[in-house]
């Protein structure tokens, strides 16, 4: 792991980082070399001053009248998010949800390397998913001891998510990306639960209000 | 459609509505009857004053010293998001992604009713998904003319997403919930693109910084 500066910023600012990063990637792809807090704000539905405030948390300051150099800012955010330092990750639950996640998520562009997939169902063991062979859940402990995954994706039925999460933390996993439809409470680990349908409510709001 | 008051609020405030709504549901499930902007802020990583400001956009004012009645606030947000008025929605693309979305998203709790599923692949036509029979894409136009879906979920390869989106808008669809890995530009429709892996970057950040 690189020696990196650590930042202390609020949760909402952290949540906005991926959106800044994606927007900068898009601008760069479209050949844009400079941008401003006003332009970024317009694209993200925020004020210029919010943008400046957010980015300054990470020491990214635009120059008055010149704005931000797109490539430089994108590279800075890349370092800040930790993307160049791929963390080893496993996936537990190779059913239809696990299949979609493992095949659709670009782990290596998002800071992780998928190194193992586990399931409980005998008929899935040995099959290949995302270029990995599905392993039996019984091997989770020895695998973690040997390969030391830092994070895990949970694509489990909600009945088993909490128990598996607790075992993973015992085995040294420090970050959980949870697709199971339930909240998970574990100490000593970061848990991010994906609510697939949150943005569907936003669409409902917009169709009723705009 | 109910006659509802229309609100004009910024995009980030709209994006936060589902999180407020989910948190209130959770508090209610846990038997909490009253809450405060400070408590809500603590749970959501925001300041009490941001919470008050956001909620006041929708005319939801807590009472000084008394805070908010959980059930009442949850019901108000439900109306504001438009959840009781289920909008007819179709899903296009019944592959593995479409299967996971149709089977895992609780459409009726999120303001929509799934009324049709379409695909281009002959081998999928007639099969059942989420209690609906998959229909051939050729029937999209006549189906839309007859059933007037207001919104559509796109679970398509990125090569075909834009073209299908444009056709859907011609057929009267006004809202697109896009799971295809690409940006879609259509006029006269709201597009919300789901970036499955955004929160994975947040996890990367946290594992490097916390």
């Amino acid at each position: 792991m690189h020696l990196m500066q650590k930042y202390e910023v609020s949760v909402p600012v952290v949540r906005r980082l991926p959106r800044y990063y994606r927007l900068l990637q898009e601008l760069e792809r479209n050949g844009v070399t400079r941008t401003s807090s006003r332009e970024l704000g317009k694209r993200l539905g925020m004020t210029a001053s919010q943008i400046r405030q957010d980015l300054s948390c990470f020491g990214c300051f635009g120059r008055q009248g010149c704005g931000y150099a797109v490539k430089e800012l994108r590279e800075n955010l890349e370092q800040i998010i930790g993307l160049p330092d791929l963390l080893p990750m496993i996936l537990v639950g190779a059913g239809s949800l696990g299949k979609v996640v493992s095949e659709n998520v670009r782990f290596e562009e998002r800071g992780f390397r998928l190194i193992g997939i586990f399931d409980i169902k005998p008929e899935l063991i040995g099959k290949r998913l995302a270029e990995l062979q599905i392993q039996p859940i019984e091997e989770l402990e020895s695998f973690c001891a040997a390969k030391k995954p830092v994070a895990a994706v949970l694509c489990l039925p909600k009945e088993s998510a909490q128990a598996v999460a607790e075992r993973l933390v015992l085995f040294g996993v420090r970050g959980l990306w949870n697709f199971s439809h339930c909240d998970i409470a574990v100490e000593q680990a970061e848990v991010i639960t994906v609510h697939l349908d949150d943005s569907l409510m936003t669409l409902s709001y917009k169709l009723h209000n705009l």
Side-chain angles (χ1 to χ4, degrees), chain A:
Chain A
M1 204 175 293
H2 297 283
L3 205 67
M4 294 200 337
Q5 190 185 340
K6 305 225 172 200
Y7 301 92
E8 272 203 48
V9 296
S10 74
V11 177
V13 179
V14 172
R15 278 226 186 79
R16 288 194 282 271
L17 270 180
R19 292 173 53 218
Y20 289 128
Y21 180 72
R22 274 196 291 103
L23 176 53
L24 289 161
Q25 277 189 313
E26 193 194 320
L27 292 174
E28 208 177 343
R29 268 198 307 272
N30 295 341
V32 179
T33 57
R34 298 204 72 85
T35 187
S36 64
S37 46
R38 207 159 65 102
E39 177 61 29
L40 294 174
K42 219 166 97 184
R43 298 284 296 262
L44 297 171
M46 297 165 64
T47 67
S49 99
Q50 280 179 306
I51 301 279
R52 279 194 298 270
Q53 208 178 335
D54 276 13
L55 294 176
S56 70
C57 294
F58 304 103
C60 300
F61 304 101
R63 269 193 299 157
Q64 193 101 44
C66 295
Y68 299 94
V70 171
K71 181 164 183 283
E72 190 189 314
L73 184 56
R74 194 262 304 152
E75 287 172 346
N76 280 344
L77 293 189
E78 202 161 273
Q79 290 291 337
I80 288 162
I81 299 172
L83 300 185
D85 175 32
L86 298 184
L87 301 175
M89 187 173 214
I90 58 172
L91 182 145
V92 187
S96 56
L97 183 57
K99 185 173 185 308
V100 161
V101 170
S102 63
E103 291 178 343
N104 285 274
V105 168
R106 293 150 296 178
F107 290 93
E108 313 225 335
E109 289 176 35
R110 299 304 181 231
F112 294 88
R113 177 172 290 133
L114 201 57
I115 60 166
I117 299 185
F118 297 84
D119 203 284
I120 201 169
K121 290 213 181 106
E123 66 268 30
L124 291 177
I125 310 306
K127 289 199 172 164
R128 292 189 84 80
L129 207 56
E131 300 182 7
L132 292 165
Q133 225 165 14
I134 302 171
Q135 301 179 63
I137 195 85
E138 291 76 20
E139 288 175 20
L140 198 54
E141 183 166 5
S142 60
F143 183 93
C144 290
K147 308 282 178 151
K148 307 207 183 317
V150 169
V153 197
L154 301 184
C155 297
L156 297 162
K158 59 181 170 192
E159 298 72 36
S160 47
Q162 176 71 32
V164 170
E166 288 171 15
R167 283 184 67 201
L168 287 167
V169 173
L170 282 180
F171 302 161
V173 167
R174 296 188 293 113
L176 298 172
W177 197 36
N178 175 34
F179 278 85
S180 312
H181 292 294
C182 59
D183 288 317
I184 287 179
V186 282
E187 285 181 16
Q188 298 161 313
E190 288 295 330
V191 183
I192 294 189
T193 297
V194 178
H195 296 276
L196 265 191
D197 53 9
D198 254 22
S199 62
L200 189 53
M201 288 198 264
T202 310
L203 187 61
S204 171
Y205 174 85
K206 289 188 168 185
L207 289 170
H208 283 100
N209 286 279
L210 301 183

